[in-house]
Amino acid sequence: MRAFFLILISICVLPLIVRPVIATEIWIFAIFGLGLNLLLGYTGLLSFGQSTFFGSAAYVAGWLLKHYGINVFIALGIGVGVGALSALVVGYLCVQRSGLYFIMLTFALNQLFYFVAYQWTSVTGGEDGMQGVPRPEFLGLDFKDPLVYYVFVSVLFLASLWLMKRIVESPLGRILQAIRENEVRAGAVGYHVPRFKLLAFVIGGAFSGVAGVLYAMLFGIVPLEAIGFVFSGNVVFATLIGGSGSLYGPIIGSFVFIWLSESMSVVWARWPLLLGVAFVIVVLFLRGGVVEAWHRFWTWRRSSKPAT
Amino acid sequence: MNLLLGQILNGIATGMLYALMGLGLSLITGVLNIPNFAHGALFAVGAYFLVSVVGVLGNFWLGLLLAPLGVALLGLVIEYAGIRRLYSAGHDYQLLFTFGLALILNELIILIWGPVGISHLPPALLRGGVDLGFTFYPKYRLFVMVMAGLLVAATWLFLEKTRYGAIMRAGIENKEMVSLLGIDIHRLFTVAFAIGAFLAGIAGALTAPIRGLSPQMGVDMLGIAFVVVALGGLGNLLGAIAAGLLIGVAQAVVAAYWTEASTAVIFAVMALVLLVRPQGMFGIR
Amino acid sequence: MGKLQRRDILKAGVGAAALGFPALLRAQPKEVVILGLWDQTGAFADVGPLNDRGMRMALEERDMKILGRPIKYVTRDGATQAGTSTRRAEEAIDGEGARFMIGPWSSGVALAVSEVAKRKKVLHFFSGGTEDISGARCHRYSFQWAASPYTAAKTVVDNFMKANPKAKRWHLLVADYAFGWSVEKYIKEVGKTHGLEFVGADRHPLGEREFSNYVQKAAANRPDAVAMINFGGDAVAGAREIFNFGLTPKIPLIMSWSSGVEELIQLSPEIRENLWVGTNFYYTADTPVAKEFVKNYRAKFKTPPGYAPSAAYSMTRLMLAGFDKAKSAEVQDVIKALEGIEVNDLLGRMRVEPATHQTLRPYFFLRCKPKKAMKEELDLADVIATGDTPLPKEYAACKDIGGF
């Protein structure tokens, strides 16, 4: 409950501290992270190609928005659909493998999609990206206003968070966590493990697709990097830094990642060096991410209080 | 017809290079069981080390020897100081770590050698080309092909014919058993990582005169190395060689008819093979 | 008590001054914030620092002041990516109050940034090979400094054919994005008038380094000349492979949109034999401004400036000339002043066309020197011609530049 209020407060306060565009991007990235974390944190699947679903949905929705004038809600539906469908295809190929194979496969398939997007310049614009993605108004809501769009995205984020909470606390969520803990035993108990992994993929893909569509509408462009491995990597790292063991990890990770990269890039051109160092430090000393560090801190505080 | 033959030759040349990269990565992932996302950065460091050594000592051959040794040394340090602590950590943290390393190495390259691309010429002995009838082919590329082939053969010989190589292969199949037999598993890992790094470094050094150097040069190679390993089977060294050659030739042949798609073909081939055989061409299920 | 009284009086005094003499407060010299959108990471990480040098030199020539007001020069790393560049440009506009922006370097990204300029109503100056900024996507806020791809193509093809009239079969190697497509289109158009036959045209991804496949394919077509439409690391790698595979120096190689000296010094003299170069700026340009600029640049940075720093330098100067002419630092005044402005600057005679915001200026065509003709290490090429034929009206895709 406390977490929920904290989030609600940050939603209200954030646009006062940073520009609405950056604030919106943070929530979009958080939705992206939630999708990834269903796979990474809950099912134990390190999917290193999430931008496949993010980017594919962005391109398809962007195309339809641009050339067929669909409205924002249909665009979101497209996001869910394309994200889920692409995840189904990729997931089907990947869940048959585990461990390192799985990771490499997701990465390599991501590259395949990337190069297809790169070549299909008539549709995607290739290197230049798909430019001129509109944000049409609907039902009197002028989404072009940065603040209106921010509220819209925040509401969607809250809905995503609520939905993800329901999923992970449901029987499905428990099964996924069981798979994460011990795949063989979960299979022995009678669960068709590959099918559940595929389901996790599809759901994660749907969330990624929504994030992708929102991203396209935010910047009015679907850049090629939206389907590239750097984006895939970023969401994984942000989630790990936030803490993949918690529902809220991706949210914190999104904050930390976007805020830091934006503010550091102005100060030092070579800031990726610091980012790399941060990764190394997190891995060696702060493995649960921010969430873990927070728990450790509170445990330490409680234990160092004198007994009454 | 001549074009096709020329492209196949070229494909074999680039394929040998891909095989070299895939071999190193396959060794590391097979023995250590970690996703080494720093492999591309090690490739780049090898190239830059070559330029520096040649700049100081003025001899390409010395550079070709010392640069990969330098990268192997770097690999030793990385394994000892960092990766060693991560064997039980889970792939996500191993990935984060190696990726962080890649970032650090990349930025260090820019800080030390600058962001501008550098050109490095092959040694005078290997400049110019040879008329093979169906194509005119650069001497240096033939050299790289032969050199890569020798390295691949040497690695294979080491793994197949030496005792330590046998231990390493056993380590790929069953680490627990190897350590139960009283062999220092940690040393095994360190050596494997160093060899993998050496191979990446020498691939980079060999490539430098062909592709030129830029801080980004490792990024593309990383993707290709992963495709080779996925196709060839994790830890399967013959598989890595075959896969490297396959995608090299595929890329070159497709370039003759549909140039724009030649890079995408690498990933398409991989996807196709994996659809039919998820464990890769030679992998074990 | 005494302290409070003093502070109160001071506050009241300032308040009164504001009310009674509003002009006094507003007339404080306010900064003019100019944004340089230069890539420090990504595919063009090597160009950003060079752009920054040129822009900074132009601003420092004016002691960082214009019209008596201080200039605040801010830079942002666009990361050679459309998403990042637009985001950071907007942040600089909203957060720092930048009203004038120059850059980025990549044409594709520039198209996206140009949209930001239009939306935010800030002046945008860009140098690059896409014709869309002064063509199909033209609008009142964006200006193009580089020669029109048509001008470049005409200069290169016409002058090359004068020297090599028999080279009728051409093979093209094109960077696969907006810039490449634009230049390719016009090379083919102008080539038609010379009766050229294009035996092949292959596109490669930006950042490609493995040119062997493309070169072998080019060789198989047995062209009389190979023309590359790319620059930077791609051009250097391409030229090197074309030489390694034995095409040059037997047949000529044309770099149609080169960065000039920055690329040429990366190639050895053997590779430069029979190399013909079209570029937006070459450091031996014979104008007073260029001579001074090259002298100062070399003193500071040792090497002569190529396309990247000189473009940034010249764009900044041109923009400041707009300020001078308008006698105002308001965006719309400067835009109106720039439309039709004529200066004798870095490249010689330069004029900004009001209808399209395209800068009409010379494009340079060079022939590289063989080793024995080089008088010193940097005597790489001679400018053998310049051309400034503007884009003919029938090709102009900018029908209406629009209003503010």
Side-chain angles (χ1 to χ4, degrees):
Chain A
M1 213 58 230
R2 189 169 34 156
F4 175 73
F5 274 119
L6 265 170
I7 291 175
L8 210 53
I9 293 174
S10 4
I11 289 181
C12 299
V13 167
L14 195 58
L16 303 171
I17 309 180
V18 298
R19 295 189 309 119
V21 175
I22 305 243
T24 315
E25 193 184 352
I26 290 179
W27 298 121
I28 293 178
F29 202 67
I31 298 176
F32 193 23
L34 284 172
L36 184 261
N37 207 27
L38 184 65
L39 285 159
L40 176 61
Y42 286 95
T43 320
L45 291 172
L46 177 49
S47 167
F48 202 69
Q50 286 298 104
S51 74
T52 307
F53 324 128
F54 181 93
S56 303
Y59 275 122
V60 174
W63 179 261
L64 292 171
L65 277 164
K66 221 175 121 162
H67 296 277
Y68 291 89
I70 61 175
N71 69 56
V72 166
F73 289 94
I74 296 186
L76 286 173
I78 300 280
V80 172
V82 174
L85 188 62
S86 52
L88 184 65
V89 171
V90 170
Y92 179 76
L93 281 170
C94 294
V95 295
Q96 312 195 40
R97 302 301 300 152
S98 54
L100 281 180
Y101 269 119
F102 174 81
I103 301 171
M104 290 192 313
L105 259 178
T106 55
F107 173 74
L109 284 169
N110 191 184
Q111 290 285 83
L112 176 61
F113 272 79
Y114 173 84
F115 277 104
V116 169
Y118 187 99
Q119 286 311 327
W120 206 354
T121 48
S122 53
V123 167
T124 64
E127 183 85 38
D128 305 329
M130 182 185 281
Q131 307 193 6
V133 174
R135 224 190 284 173
E137 67 152 23
F138 190 69
L139 297 178
L141 289 166
D142 178 22
F143 290 112
K144 279 205 256 300
D145 185 305
L147 222 51
V148 171
Y149 194 63
Y150 174 76
V151 172
F152 176 64
V153 168
S154 313
V155 166
L156 279 169
F157 163 71
L158 286 170
S160 308
L161 183 59
W162 176 82
L163 187 60
M164 187 52 77
K165 190 166 197 295
R166 291 297 304 272
I167 291 174
V168 302
E169 287 173 355
S170 73
L172 171 64
R174 303 250 179 267
I175 297 172
L176 294 176
Q177 288 174 74
I179 293 177
R180 178 192 71 206
E181 292 304 314
N182 193 326
E183 210 177 296
V184 176
R185 186 186 291 180
V189 170
Y191 291 116
H192 193 279
V193 170
R195 210 176 286 160
F196 278 101
K197 284 185 179 176
L198 191 56
L199 188 54
F201 246 103
V202 169
I203 298 175
F207 275 74
S208 304
V210 167
V213 173
L214 291 173
Y215 186 91
M217 287 196 291
L218 174 64
F219 292 112
I221 178 175
V222 184
L224 186 61
E225 66 249 28
I227 203 167
F229 80 93
V230 177
F231 253 53
S232 295
N234 286 347
V235 69
V236 171
F237 306 142
T239 303
L240 284 174
I241 288 179
S244 59
S246 144
L247 180 65
Y248 305 104
I251 304 171
I252 299 173
S254 172
F255 260 90
V256 169
F257 197 82
I258 292 187
W259 209 325
L260 275 182
S261 40
E262 284 311 295
S263 45
M264 284 208 280
S265 77
V266 186
V267 173
W268 192 29
R270 307 269 69 88
W271 68 271
L273 179 65
L274 299 173
L275 189 65
V277 171
F279 288 175
V280 168
I281 291 178
V282 164
V283 170
L284 294 177
F285 306 113
L286 278 174
R287 230 168 265 172
V290 173
V291 171
E292 168 85 12
W294 184 252
H295 282 149
R296 267 197 244 167
F297 173 70
W298 277 109
T299 325
W300 171 79
R301 283 253 2 235
R302 252 176 255 137
S303 68
S304 62
K305 275 202 191 126
T308 36
Chain B
M1 189 54 194
N2 277 352
L3 175 61
L4 193 58
L5 282 174
Q7 295 292 59
I8 292 177
L9 176 64
N10 205 42
I12 296 177
T14 45
M16 278 324 302
L17 216 53
Y18 295 162
L20 203 56
M21 280 298 275
L23 199 55
L25 185 61
S26 195
L27 199 60
I28 293 176
T29 50
V31 176
L32 285 74
N33 200 33
I34 61 162
N36 183 21
F37 272 82
H39 210 69
L42 294 171
F43 168 86
V45 170
Y48 276 93
F49 274 179
L50 174 79
V51 167
S52 288
V53 171
V54 174
V56 167
L57 295 175
N59 186 312
F60 176 77
W61 307 102
L62 269 178
L64 204 56
L65 177 65
L66 293 175
L69 281 176
V71 180
L73 191 62
L74 182 63
L76 269 166
V77 171
I78 291 172
E79 199 277 336
Y80 193 78
I83 296 188
R84 183 168 284 215
R85 313 220 215 147
L86 301 178
Y87 292 125
S88 52
H91 291 319
D92 42 0
Y93 289 106
Q94 293 161 356
L95 190 150
L96 189 62
F97 182 80
T98 53
F99 207 93
L101 263 179
L103 281 175
I104 294 174
L105 286 173
N106 210 53
E107 293 299 309
L108 282 177
I109 287 177
I110 296 181
L111 282 170
I112 299 175
W113 286 278
V116 186
I118 302 177
S119 258
H120 189 86
L121 290 173
L125 182 68
L126 293 170
R127 284 185 214 165
V130 166
D131 192 344
L132 296 170
F134 56 91
T135 184
F136 182 86
Y137 210 69
K139 280 192 207 159
Y140 187 73
R141 276 187 186 261
L142 289 171
F143 165 72
V144 168
M145 192 161 71
V146 168
M147 196 62 196
L150 285 173
L151 284 162
V152 162
T155 313
W156 186 82
L157 273 171
F158 166 75
L159 288 162
E160 286 293 316
K161 303 291 182 203
T162 68
R163 187 172 164 275
Y164 205 78
I167 295 174
M168 210 170 268
R169 275 183 295 123
I172 293 177
E173 285 200 40
N174 195 329
K175 273 176 270 298
E176 240 176 61
M177 188 64 79
V178 168
S179 68
L180 281 171
L181 287 169
I183 293 165
D184 187 345
I185 198 81
H186 290 294
R187 183 123 50 91
L188 187 70
F189 287 178
T190 313
V191 171
F193 195 84
I195 295 179
F198 180 89
L199 291 173
I202 200 164
L206 284 170
T207 309
I210 299 181
R211 295 192 180 198
L213 295 95
S214 76
Q216 307 286 8
M217 66 190 291
V219 175
D220 300 324
M221 265 316 206
L222 181 69
I224 292 178
F226 272 109
V227 171
V228 171
V229 174
L231 260 182
L234 262 172
N236 186 317
L237 304 152
L238 271 178
I241 299 169
L245 285 170
L246 173 66
I247 57 175
V249 172
Q251 184 184 28
V253 168
V254 168
Y257 302 107
W258 189 12
T259 346
E260 288 90 28
S262 53
T263 317
V265 149
I266 295 179
F267 301 96
V269 166
M270 179 206 64
L272 270 163
V273 171
L274 291 171
L275 251 171
V276 175
R277 271 181 76 88
Q279 66 273 32
M281 297 190 303
F282 304 102
I284 326 144
R285 256 207 176 275
Chain C
M1 196 54 197
K3 258 192 257 172
L4 224 64
Q5 274 185 321
R6 221 180 301 151
R7 239 187 282 152
D8 278 337
I9 294 173
L10 276 170
K11 268 194 249 171
V14 170
L19 286 171
F21 304 99
L24 212 114
L25 277 181
R26 269 188 264 125
Q28 302 303 315
K30 227 181 60 175
E31 292 178 321
V32 175
V33 185
I34 306 183
L35 167 68
L37 197 58
W38 305 128
D39 301 317
Q40 303 281 353
T41 54
F44 286 159
D46 50 341
V47 186
L50 300 173
N51 297 132
D52 179 50
R53 286 180 188 174
M55 188 163 175
R56 212 173 276 275
M57 278 177 74
L59 292 172
E60 279 165 5
E61 272 173 7
R62 300 278 202 129
D63 289 321
M64 304 299 280
K65 276 214 273 282
I66 187 75
L67 300 171
R69 295 161 61 166
I71 294 177
K72 183 169 178 197
Y73 173 44
V74 299
T75 58
R76 288 291 183 271
D77 174 13
T80 326
Q81 289 174 349
T84 316
S85 297
T86 48
R87 185 173 72 217
R88 292 195 179 151
E90 283 204 42
E91 184 268 313
I93 293 169
D94 292 336
E96 300 267 9
R99 312 298 307 152
F100 305 90
M101 69 179 164
I102 304 188
W105 195 244
S106 157
S107 332
V109 176
L111 284 170
V113 171
S114 174
E115 292 295 309
V116 174
K118 184 170 166 190
R119 221 177 343 117
K120 295 284 192 181
K121 305 198 189 305
V122 301
L123 196 158
H124 172 223
F125 227 125
F126 159 71
S127 169
T130 174
E131 54 167 352
D132 287 344
I133 289 213
S134 53
R137 307 270 290 268
C138 68
H139 64 81
R140 207 73 191 276
Y141 289 90
S142 276
F143 289 81
Q144 164 72 283
W145 180 87
S148 152
Y150 177 84
T151 311
K154 191 125 174 64
T155 310
V156 168
V157 178
D158 283 355
N159 289 295
F160 177 80
M161 293 315 290
K162 250 192 256 173
N164 302 275
K166 290 218 206 62
K168 296 274 191 189
R169 291 162 52 91
W170 282 35
H171 182 95
L172 297 179
L173 207 46
V174 184
D176 198 7
Y177 69 116
F179 141 70
W181 309 331
S182 294
V183 179
E184 180 188 1
K185 181 169 90 174
Y186 290 119
I187 290 204
K188 286 185 170 164
E189 280 292 323
V190 178
K192 259 192 274 181
T193 66
H194 287 270
L196 296 183
E197 184 195 344
F198 291 96
V199 295
D202 288 327
R203 294 184 172 175
H204 68 80
L206 176 66
E208 179 68 83
R209 293 289 179 271
E210 182 57 73
F211 277 92
S212 52
N213 294 327
Y214 303 99
V215 173
Q216 288 219 297
K217 194 156 169 238
N221 286 329
R222 303 202 181 288
D224 300 326
V226 175
M228 290 201 300
I229 304 171
N230 54 23
F231 65 88
D234 303 8
V236 171
R240 204 184 9 236
E241 286 309 293
I242 291 174
F243 172 75
N244 283 336
F245 275 81
L247 274 94
T248 50
K250 269 188 283 165
I251 61 169
L253 171 64
I254 304 167
M255 288 164 88
S256 48
W257 188 277
S258 163
S259 299
V261 71
E262 283 142 11
E263 284 160 25
L264 294 178
I265 47 175
Q266 290 193 53
L267 301 169
S268 67
E270 299 88 49
I271 303 180
R272 290 198 298 261
E273 214 177 303
N274 214 357
L275 180 61
W276 305 73
V277 177
T279 178
N280 272 287
F281 176 76
Y282 195 64
Y283 79 99
T284 59
D286 193 6
T287 69
V289 176
K291 286 195 159 56
E292 187 66 27
F293 171 60
V294 172
K295 189 175 80 176
N296 293 334
Y297 190 93
R298 285 183 86 156
K300 267 185 143 151
F301 303 110
K302 309 285 176 288
T303 57
Y307 174 22
S310 40
Y313 178 78
S314 181
M315 280 191 280
T316 311
R317 279 178 66 95
L318 199 48
M319 198 174 67
L320 294 174
F323 279 88
D324 291 334
K325 183 172 167 206
K327 298 211 214 321
S328 151
E330 291 303 308
V331 173
Q332 301 188 358
D333 295 336
V334 179
I335 289 178
K336 282 194 235 152
L338 281 173
E339 288 165 347
I341 197 172
E342 286 195 33
V343 293
N344 247 314
D345 201 84
L346 186 75
L347 310 165
R349 260 201 73 225
M350 299 167 61
R351 182 173 170 270
V352 175
E353 219 206 75
T356 61
H357 285 191
Q358 168 72 47
T359 308
L360 306 171
R361 25 61 57 91
Y363 193 74
F364 297 81
F365 191 59
L366 321 165
R367 184 184 184 159
C368 288
K369 294 178 150 175
K371 192 162 187 175
K372 39 186 171 11
M374 285 167 60
K375 285 186 233 106
E376 50 121 5
E377 198 190 326
L378 288 163
D379 184 20
L380 308 166
D382 285 323
V383 178
I384 58 174
T386 63
D388 57 6
T389 322
L391 180 70
K393 287 229 166 29
E394 59 263 29
Y395 290 131
C398 181
K399 301 295 174 208
D400 176 17
I401 197 136
F404 290 114

